[in-house]
Amino acid sequence: MVKKVAIIGAGISGLASIRNCLEEGLEPTCFEKGEDIGGLWKFSTIVSSVNKRPDFQTTGQWDVITEKDGKKESAVFDAVMICSGHHVYPNIPKESFPGIKLFKGKCFHSRDYKEPGIFKGKRVLVIGLGNSGCDIASELSHIAEKVIISSRSGSWVMSRVWDEGYPWDMLFITRFETFLKNTLPTVISNWWYMKQMNARFKHENYGLMPLNSTLRKEPVFNDELPSRILCGTITIKPSVKEFTETSAMFEDGTVFEAIDYVIFATGYGYAYPFLEDSIIKSRNNEVTLYKGIFPPFLEKPTLAVIGLVQSLGATIPTADLQARWAVKVFANSCTLPTTNEMMDDIEEKMGKKLKWFGQSQTLQTDYITYMDELGSFIGAKPNIPWLFLTDPQLALEVFFGPCSPYQFRLMGPGKWDGARNAILTQWDRTLKPTRTRAVGEAKRPQRFYNLLKILLFPVLLLAVLLAFY
């Protein structure tokens, strides 16, 4: 008898779940409250005021909010650079800001930002140094009289463009980088991490330096913010100590007078209103899901949560690999450990999160480590030693190149015959859209450098052994 699966939501996680259910021989039925598929990734035909102004530069990254039956719905438009935040609601901790009720200006959450024109010539305070706060501030700095960002703890700010003009993640999210982070002594790993974060500019000089600079918290991606600070159109300040009717006093004693608008870019919470809270958060408001997917206390593994993780890696392939494993559990092709074993694993993961990210409650995880773990459950994790023996060219790309989702289609269930070629040609395909005026041949990363890295393996391992001797 074919098993039936209910899928709630037709966003990227829901669509991945539908496809994987069908591939596993299950019968999915998807429930979607909207009129279309795609969730936050649905492209909206709404033309924002940003795109109506020919003299306006935008970095994007906020939702277009539309009204339907009295309820707000989100969509993305063509200026969006980063899209995240699903099953979420705005988090506006007004109780954390003494005097905010006395403030006579206008204040709202960054999710409701959609008309930049109304800020022309105004004085704006943005609270929060995340992606939304930085993108909004960068955009408003072209038209507002004054923009200040208030940050409680600072943040690393990364450029989307890295060495030789390649996207940052092609050079940063690699198995080699993960190997160094997990193998080198902590002091060396932290030094290397901070060196990478400060490669573009020294964060201390811009007031952006994180309070605990060695934690691997999610950085901000913004190419414009440093130049806006340098030009004086954006100023970074510490936390707001107190609001008055027209101003804000910061922890350093300085005051921002005559504020017109306060924008809370304070992030989002997450909720599943159709589930009991205890299923997702079984204790202390912490998400207790086995491998971020399965509630450990259910009598049978009949519920999977797809997409409730956060990492520097791509969201879509993460949700896809989660769904690939989940449907095999539903189909009894894979089995879960006992409840006690699952809870022991959750405890261990929380300890690692506390070390790397500074808090155990975070949804953040290491992308490659997590993907490899999921892949190993279904036999899709690439066998690096075997690849070095049988296909050295591919092995070099897999280990030193970007950890693209093709790697999890090289072997095992769901194997794709085109995965090898896709990996070997990914550098050329990345540059093809940008080489609209070709001058000479495109240069790929030096193979000699990769070979040198291989030769350094014994040296690195020896250093690790000596460090713990």
Side-chain angles (χ1 to χ4, degrees), residues 194-347:
M194 292 180 62
K195 182 177 176 63
Q196 288 178 308
M197 295 296 102
N198 277 316
R200 183 183 174 201
F201 63 93
K202 195 171 183 179
H203 284 63
E204 291 176 272
N205 295 341
Y206 288 73
L208 297 169
M209 189 72 169
L211 291 180
N212 194 330
S213 55
T214 60
L215 293 178
R216 269 59 167 181
K217 291 184 177 180
E218 184 179 15
V220 170
F221 292 92
N222 192 294
D223 294 279
E224 193 176 10
L225 181 62
S227 63
R228 295 285 90 199
I229 296 174
L230 197 61
C231 293
T233 55
I234 291 179
T235 301
I236 307 296
K237 287 291 184 180
S239 296
V240 174
K241 183 178 180 180
E242 185 181 12
F243 279 97
T244 66
E245 291 183 351
T246 59
S247 64
M249 177 182 293
F250 302 102
E251 293 289 349
D252 61 1
T254 58
V255 178
F256 186 23
E257 301 279 2
I259 303 173
D260 297 298
Y261 290 93
V262 175
I263 301 175
F264 288 91
T266 47
Y268 297 84
Y270 52 89
Y272 293 88
F274 44 82
L275 286 177
E276 293 182 9
D277 286 344
S278 60
I279 294 177
I280 306 295
K281 304 175 182 179
S282 61
R283 63 173 194 190
N284 300 330
N285 206 38
E286 295 175 333
V287 174
T288 49
L289 297 174
Y290 179 62
K291 306 303 180 185
I293 301 175
F294 291 102
F297 295 109
L298 294 184
E299 183 178 348
K300 294 182 179 180
T302 56
L303 175 66
V305 181
I306 306 299
L308 190 60
V309 294
Q310 181 179 351
S311 73
L312 283 182
T315 302
I316 295 177
T318 303
D320 180 55
L321 197 52
Q322 286 183 320
R324 287 170 68 185
W325 178 43
V327 298
K328 288 188 176 298
V329 172
F330 291 162
N332 296 324
S333 300
C334 295
T335 58
L336 298 181
T338 65
T339 297
N340 289 337
E341 290 172 330
M342 287 191 283
M343 285 305 301
D344 288 343
D345 182 83
I346 291 171
E347 291 281 358

Side-chain angles (χ1 to χ4, degrees), residues 97-130:
F97 300 95
I100 188 63
K101 293 182 179 180
L102 301 175
F103 180 66
K104 292 186 176 181
K106 295 181 179 180
C107 59
F108 51 86
H109 191 266
S110 58
R111 181 167 180 169
D112 298 316
Y113 173 90
K114 56 181 178 179
E115 292 292 340
I118 66 174
F119 299 94
K120 185 175 182 179
K122 303 298 183 179
R123 295 165 68 84
V124 183
L125 172 61
V126 178
I127 299 178
L129 193 59

